[in-house]
Amino acid sequence: PTRRSSDLYSKIMAFMEEYGEVARALTYDKEHAGNLLDEIVQVIGLAVAWLLLVEATNQKQWLTHNNRISVF
């Protein structure tokens, strides 16, 4: 796998894990549930990190395509 696909896979796995913790915080299992607000903030943080990774990748591809920079 490429570095990009590895980064993407890591982001997906982390996001899904945190999403699961939000779901758990919403269930009846309060003994094992985290704080809902904390869990939502973590999901948002991971979503923003993922968005920035995708945006940076797209920007790099655009610049490369337009001969602005060379990528090795």
Side-chain angles (χ1 to χ4, degrees):
T2 65
R3 183 175 187 275
R4 181 174 182 224
S5 65
S6 177
D7 287 347
L8 182 59
Y9 180 76
S10 295
K11 294 281 187 279
I12 291 170
M13 296 308 296
F15 183 84
M16 294 307 295
E17 190 258 336
E18 292 301 331
Y19 179 83
E21 290 183 13
V22 168
R24 176 180 258 173
L26 292 170
T27 67
Y28 60 88
D29 186 11
K30 297 300 180 191
E31 180 180 335
H32 297 103
N35 180 297
L36 179 59
L37 183 58
D38 290 345
E39 301 302 340
I40 291 171
V41 167
Q42 290 176 20
V43 167
I44 292 168
L46 285 169
V48 169
W50 194 359
L51 175 67
L52 293 174
L53 174 68
V54 169
E55 181 61 27
T57 301
N58 289 341
Q59 180 71 14
K60 187 173 169 182
Q61 289 173 346
W62 183 87
L63 290 172
T64 302
H65 177 71
N66 290 295
N67 296 321
R68 307 279 177 162
I69 61 172
S70 59
V71 178
F72 299 99

